[in-house]
Amino acid sequence: TASTRGARGARARANDDEARELNREIARMSRTLTFDDAVASTSTSSSDDEDVCAPVVIGGARGRRTWRARRVRAPEASDEDEDDDEDARAKARAKADGDGSSDDGSVDTVANAIGSRTIIAVGRARQDAFERARARRERARATAAKRIASLELELAVAREMETRELAMNLETVKSIGARLRAADEALFDDARRAREARAAAAQLAREETDALVMRAVAADAEAKEAAERARVEEEKRRQEAEEAARKKAEEDAEAAKKRAEEEAKEKAREEEAKRKQAASDYVSGKATGEIPRVAAAAEALEQETNLAKTLVEARAMVAEYQSHPTAKLERRKLTNTIVVHVQQIAATKEQINKKSRDIMMLLVQLQEPQKTFALMSIAKKMLSQCDVQVAKLNRYAFALAEVAVSIAIDVPRFGVLLVALIHEVCVNAVPKYYPFVPGRYATDDEYYSLMGYVKNDEGTAFETTDSYVDRMTGIMLFYAAFLQVDAPNHPHGVDAAWRWLARLLNRCPPNRHTAVALDSFLKIAGFRMYAAYRGQFVKVLELIHREFLPKLDAKNDPDIRPVSSRIATYLQESLYTKSPEGRDMPNTDTSSHTF
């Protein structure tokens, strides 16, 4: 009916009005609304996770849908005109369709209205989600900005603190370096001052030592001069007293005393002549009476006796010191020092002078009885070197003798004690010889003891004659070197060597012992004696060739032939005109120089 068609038309118009209203609302919202359409592909990239501003996606990365944005066009200014045109067209379609088409238009209108509300709801939800995501991104950016600002502030503070600490460390390093440089300079100054002080102390010590040695030498010289003056005065007083007594005796009984003196002198001369004749006959082999107990010159025996007394006095002086237990350590240190000095003597002038000074410096610091003990220890150590060194290396005798003479000139007692010890251990140095006569001695050991043989280490038997001769050879080489040293004020110089040679040839018989002593003596001292006595010494050598050697060869002893041959060669080749090996020593040891 007409009324029914009118109602339908009214409902259709109402629905169209509502749809248009919804469309306008959707158009206004769509001007800024972005729709995200899902695409079929999925993404596993982690770039969205790294972007703090990206939209929040619920669900894991695996199978995550990727949304592609689609922009909805915003309504233009002419949209309302278009809506009005759309309304006009809808009214026209309603009139044209009539009643039959009004129902279909109403259904479409309702459907469109429902779809519009859904789209609006979805759009609003998406707009809210977008706003929340943007708010989160803004908060994340703000938080990141604050964090960056905080980190930059901390970095600035750390850098400033590091700069300050570096500056402080640099100042500390500079301060420490300055203190170290100051300490080094102080140490260098201290070391320099210490070196200068040590050098000054060493120089002062040398000067004091030299002054001490000079004072000691001057004191010894003054003491010697004083002793000589006292002896001269005492001798003068004694002579004056004797002269007075003699004059008084002459006045009382001049005649009787003269007769007694003449008889005594005559008797003494006869006895001396008989003794000398007997000794001469024994030496020459013409003895028919008693063989003398000892073949030696009277002057030699008298000198030996005086030296033996001096040696006894020296031993008595040091007896208590040598046996005292509290002085044992001191004696050992003193002996070790002496042993070192003697063993360091070498065949160079420099070393000889050095060792002489060292020993003299040691002696001037000692008092009695230590000084006498030291003198005897030095002499014994030198004699022990005769068996160890001189017998094997003959030229070493010259170096040892040079040091001994240097000490003997400054300390005359040393020369006396040294010669006394040589005479004690070597009868050939006197010179003297004990003829062996069967039945004269209680045992053979008594004779061996007189001759100077020594027993073995076990003390059960005496050494062999060959060993004895070798040992005596070393001692005679050193004794000859000691006597031949050409030094001013030598207390036992070449004149003592001349007396020894004359006494040996005049009073000792030619045999193996005396021949070995003569050979050793000429080998070392012959050159010096020839330089001092020339023609007289040559005459003595001719006497040896004319008388001594024939008597020696006449014994026909195989042990004598080698030494006899050496003496004959020495005389025939005039070896006394040549300086013996080792006498002319170099200033320094040239073997230690490297070129």
Side-chain angles (χ1 to χ4, degrees):
T1 64
S3 60
T4 300
R5 289 191 297 268
R8 290 178 179 175
R11 286 194 299 271
R13 285 191 297 271
N15 290 333
D16 292 339
D17 293 337
E18 186 179 358
R20 282 194 298 271
E21 185 65 25
L22 286 173
N23 288 333
R24 291 190 189 98
E25 182 66 21
I26 290 171
R28 282 194 302 269
M29 292 176 62
S30 299
R31 289 190 182 98
T32 57
L33 181 61
T34 301
F35 294 95
D36 296 331
D37 294 337
V39 295
S41 63
T42 59
S43 175
T44 60
S45 173
S46 62
S47 60
D48 293 340
D49 295 336
E50 296 174 357
D51 187 1
V52 296
C53 298
V56 177
V57 178
I58 299 175
R62 183 174 183 181
R64 185 176 60 196
R65 298 176 64 85
T66 301
W67 296 91
R68 183 175 59 195
R70 184 181 66 180
R71 179 70 63 179
V72 177
R73 184 182 62 81
E76 301 292 338
S78 60
D79 288 342
E80 293 181 0
D81 296 336
E82 292 178 357
D83 291 338
D84 294 339
D85 294 339
E86 184 66 28
D87 291 338
R89 287 190 297 270
K91 290 178 180 182
R93 284 192 303 270
K95 291 178 178 182
D97 294 336
D99 293 334
S101 63
S102 60
D103 292 335
D104 295 333
S106 297
V107 174
D108 294 336
T109 301
V110 172
N112 289 335
I114 294 172
S116 297
R117 284 193 298 270
T118 302
I119 292 172
I120 290 171
V122 172
R124 286 176 180 175
R126 289 183 177 180
Q127 182 66 27
D128 291 340
F130 175 77
E131 291 296 335
R132 287 193 300 273
R134 184 174 61 183
R136 286 195 299 273
R137 287 194 295 272
E138 291 298 331
R139 287 195 301 273
R141 289 191 187 97
T143 302
K146 290 180 181 180
R147 180 60 177 168
I148 290 172
S150 176
L151 291 176
E152 288 178 351
L153 180 60
E154 291 179 0
L155 179 61
V157 172
R159 285 178 177 174
E160 183 177 359
M161 292 179 64
E162 184 179 359
T163 302
R164 292 179 181 177
E165 185 176 358
L166 180 60
M168 292 175 63
N169 290 339
L170 289 176
E171 291 297 329
T172 303
V173 169
K174 291 179 180 179
S175 176
I176 293 173
R179 290 198 297 271
L180 289 176
R181 285 192 296 273
D184 290 341
E185 292 176 358
L187 288 175
F188 290 152
D189 292 340
D190 293 342
R192 178 179 54 78
R193 287 193 293 270
R195 288 195 300 271
E196 293 175 354
R198 287 196 297 271
Q203 181 64 25
L204 180 61
R206 286 194 295 270
E207 293 176 356
E208 291 178 352
T209 300
D210 294 340
L212 184 62
V213 172
M214 294 301 296
R215 287 197 299 271
V217 172
D220 289 341
E222 291 177 359
K224 186 176 180 180
E225 292 178 359
E228 183 64 20
R229 288 195 298 271
R231 188 188 65 78
V232 172
E233 292 177 358
E234 181 66 23
E235 182 67 19
K236 184 177 180 180
R237 288 195 296 270
R238 186 183 63 79
Q239 291 178 356
E240 290 176 354
E242 289 180 355
E243 183 66 18
R246 188 181 64 78
K247 289 181 178 180
K248 185 177 180 180
E250 287 179 354
E251 292 175 356
D252 294 342
E254 184 177 358
K257 189 176 181 179
K258 284 184 178 180
R259 286 195 300 272
E261 289 178 354
E262 290 295 333
E263 291 176 357
K265 289 180 179 179
E266 183 64 26
K267 184 177 181 181
R269 283 196 295 270
E270 291 177 356
E271 290 179 355
E272 181 65 18
K274 290 179 180 179
R275 189 182 63 80
K276 290 183 177 180
Q277 184 62 38
S280 178
D281 291 342
Y282 172 73
V283 173
S284 62
K286 300 178 181 179
T288 56
E290 183 181 1
I291 298 176
R293 298 187 65 86
V294 56
E299 298 82 358
L301 295 176
E302 182 180 359
Q303 180 189 19
E304 181 188 20
T305 301
N306 295 332
L307 292 174
K309 291 180 180 178
T310 303
L311 195 58
V312 170
E313 293 173 358
R315 284 171 174 164
M317 183 181 298
V318 301
E320 182 178 358
Y321 173 74
Q322 194 168 1
S323 60
H324 204 287
T326 59
K328 182 177 181 180
L329 181 59
E330 181 182 358
R331 293 196 308 269
R332 181 179 299 172
K333 292 175 61 177
L334 185 58
T335 302
N336 291 340
T337 303
I338 291 171
V339 169
V340 170
H341 286 321
V342 174
Q343 289 181 346
Q344 289 179 348
I345 296 174
T348 63
K349 295 180 181 179
E350 179 183 12
Q351 190 69 3
I352 288 172
N353 294 333
K354 182 179 184 303
K355 290 293 106 182
S356 300
R357 288 195 303 269
D358 292 344
I359 294 175
M360 280 304 304
M361 289 175 60
L362 174 67
L363 293 176
V364 297
Q365 298 173 6
L366 300 176
Q367 302 295 330
E368 295 297 344
Q370 290 89 341
K371 187 173 184 179
T372 301
F373 176 81
L375 293 175
M376 294 187 66
S377 297
I378 295 170
K380 289 181 178 179
K381 184 57 185 175
M382 287 185 173
L383 289 181
S384 68
Q385 291 294 97
C386 295
D387 187 28
V388 176
Q389 291 287 343
V390 176
K392 299 175 182 177
L393 189 65
N394 297 165
R395 62 174 179 270
Y396 180 71
F398 291 102
L400 198 63
E402 289 283 350
V403 177
V405 171
S406 178
I407 301 172
I409 292 174
D410 294 333
V411 186
R413 285 182 59 211
F414 173 74
V416 175
L417 293 174
L418 177 62
V419 174
L421 286 173
I422 292 175
H423 286 188
E424 184 181 54
V425 299
C426 180
V427 296
N428 295 328
V430 177
K432 67 179 180 180
Y433 177 74
Y434 292 98
F436 180 78
V437 177
R440 174 173 289 178
Y441 305 101
T443 61
D444 292 346
D445 291 352
E446 182 182 354
Y447 173 76
Y448 289 138
S449 297
L450 287 174
M451 286 294 294
Y453 283 72
V454 296
K455 289 189 176 183
N456 54 21
D457 296 337
E458 293 78 10
T460 56
F462 283 96
E463 62 183 330
T464 63
T465 300
D466 291 338
S467 176
Y468 169 80
V469 169
D470 292 340
R471 191 164 52 84
M472 294 300 107
T473 298
I475 296 175
M476 286 305 303
L477 290 171
F478 170 65
Y479 185 50
F482 178 76
L483 298 181
Q484 65 85 42
V485 173
D486 188 8
N489 302 323
H490 188 352
H492 307 275
V494 70
D495 54 339
W498 179 267
R499 289 194 297 270
W500 182 90
L501 183 59
R503 291 169 182 174
L504 178 76
L505 296 175
N506 290 332
R507 291 292 180 261
C508 296
N511 55 38
R512 184 183 181 185
H513 301 289
T514 56
V516 168
L518 179 62
D519 175 50
S520 302
F521 198 85
L522 293 178
K523 179 180 179 180
I524 297 296
F527 176 76
R528 175 74 178 93
M529 296 182 70
Y530 175 72
Y533 298 105
R534 294 288 178 179
Q536 294 179 354
F537 181 68
V538 173
K539 291 180 180 179
V540 172
L541 296 180
E542 292 176 353
L543 176 65
I544 294 173
H545 180 71
R546 187 174 60 252
E547 296 185 8
F548 189 87
L549 287 180
K551 293 177 183 178
L552 196 64
D553 295 336
K555 295 184 179 294
N556 198 22
D557 186 349
D559 293 330
I560 295 178
R561 291 194 190 101
V563 64
S564 176
S565 177
R566 289 197 299 269
I567 296 174
T569 302
Y570 181 85
L571 299 176
Q572 292 170 3
E573 296 182 2
S574 301
L575 296 180
Y576 51 85
T577 61
K578 301 176 183 178
S579 178
E581 181 184 3
R583 187 176 190 274
D584 300 326
M585 288 172 281
N587 291 328
T588 58
D589 186 5
T590 57
S591 64
S592 62
H593 295 171
T594 302
F595 296 95

